[in-house]
Amino acid sequence: MTDIDRTTDTDRDTTTDTGGMTDTDGEHLLTIYLNDHLAGSYGGAALARRIAREHAGDPDTAALRTMAREITEDRDELVDLMRALGIRPRWHRRLLGAAAEKAGRLKLNGRLVQRSPLSDLLEAEAMRSGVQGKIALWRALRSAGFDELLGSRLERLEARADRHADILDARQARAAAQVLRHGLDRHWPVTRHPDRRHRTTTRHA
């Protein structure tokens, strides 16, 4: 190896940006970041399929099935991106994602064996959180300049995730109205709790 070659390799390893990171640091952090999202994508895909399966008779069944299929496709798109970047997917993270999804089923919902009406609300919120993370992923990659590699794919994936978020927001609102409103009406009638600011204003008037 010539002195020029050695200098080039050294420069490549030690080049820093304004944040003080080397190229090697950046590659390492990108690997961790994408693999973390990959782990979450396995749990999210499993949860989306379960929601679609357990609500087969709901008015939005078709939308739920489409969402479950597309979330699985999103995971595959992430794997393709990682391979295009030369980043090896850490498949043991798949087990972590699947374990997290199964652990979510054990969250207390008021019943030990049967599904509770609260399950619908908790599942919608968990799925919505996962979709928000995916939106953040696609936006982060676009901000970092990955559009040069993927073209319009990131924009399409982000738009699709936004649509999934709308579906889940609607389900969360319906579930909350069905499950929580009765408790609110029974225990905390609005007439018993006048606005505190109004009381304070009146007292100091």
Side-chain angles (χ1 to χ4, degrees):
M1 180 182 293
T2 66
D3 291 339
I4 294 177
D5 292 332
R6 283 194 294 269
T7 300
T8 301
D9 289 341
T10 302
D11 289 344
R12 185 183 301 114
D13 290 338
T14 59
T15 299
T16 60
D17 57 15
T18 55
M21 288 196 308
T22 66
D23 292 343
T24 301
D25 290 336
E27 182 178 352
H28 178 64
L29 294 176
L30 179 62
T31 298
I32 293 174
Y33 180 70
L34 294 181
N35 270 291
D36 281 349
H37 274 282
L38 180 61
S41 71
Y42 278 98
L47 178 57
R49 289 193 298 269
R50 178 154 61 89
I51 291 174
R53 182 173 62 250
E54 292 179 349
H55 297 279
D58 287 10
D60 58 352
T61 295
L64 292 176
R65 289 176 176 172
T66 298
M67 182 180 71
R69 174 177 52 78
E70 290 177 345
I71 286 176
T72 300
E73 293 174 355
D74 291 345
R75 181 198 64 202
D76 295 339
E77 295 243 25
L78 177 55
V79 172
D80 288 344
L81 167 62
M82 294 172 69
R83 287 174 172 163
L85 293 171
I87 295 175
R88 185 175 65 181
R90 296 173 179 172
W91 296 113
H92 67 277
R93 296 294 186 92
R94 173 180 179 177
L95 300 178
L96 295 177
E101 189 276 329
K102 288 183 173 60
R105 304 184 195 185
L106 302 178
K107 178 179 285 190
L108 294 178
N109 58 17
R111 297 181 183 179
L112 295 179
V113 180
Q114 297 178 339
R115 279 180 60 84
S116 163
L118 190 58
S119 297
D120 293 347
L121 178 58
L122 294 176
E123 287 176 350
E125 291 179 349
M127 192 72 249
R128 180 63 172 82
S129 178
V131 168
Q132 186 59 45
K134 186 163 55 177
I135 292 173
L137 165 65
W138 304 138
R139 288 179 179 173
L141 294 179
R142 292 182 66 190
S143 297
F146 280 75
D147 282 327
E148 297 179 6
L149 173 65
L150 297 176
S152 62
R153 288 173 64 183
L154 287 175
E155 184 176 355
R156 173 178 57 81
L157 290 168
E158 183 180 338
R160 187 157 75 176
D162 284 332
R163 177 163 49 81
H164 296 163
D166 290 339
I167 295 171
L168 293 164
D169 284 344
R171 288 196 64 83
Q172 190 268 352
R174 289 196 301 270
Q178 293 170 359
V179 176
L180 303 181
R181 185 64 195 179
H182 295 295
L184 182 65
D185 290 341
R186 180 177 176 82
H187 296 290
W188 293 279
V190 175
T191 55
R192 295 184 185 179
H193 297 276
D195 190 276
R196 292 182 179 179
R197 290 173 298 177
H198 175 72
R199 293 205 305 269
T200 302
T201 303
T202 302
R203 185 166 57 248
H204 291 285

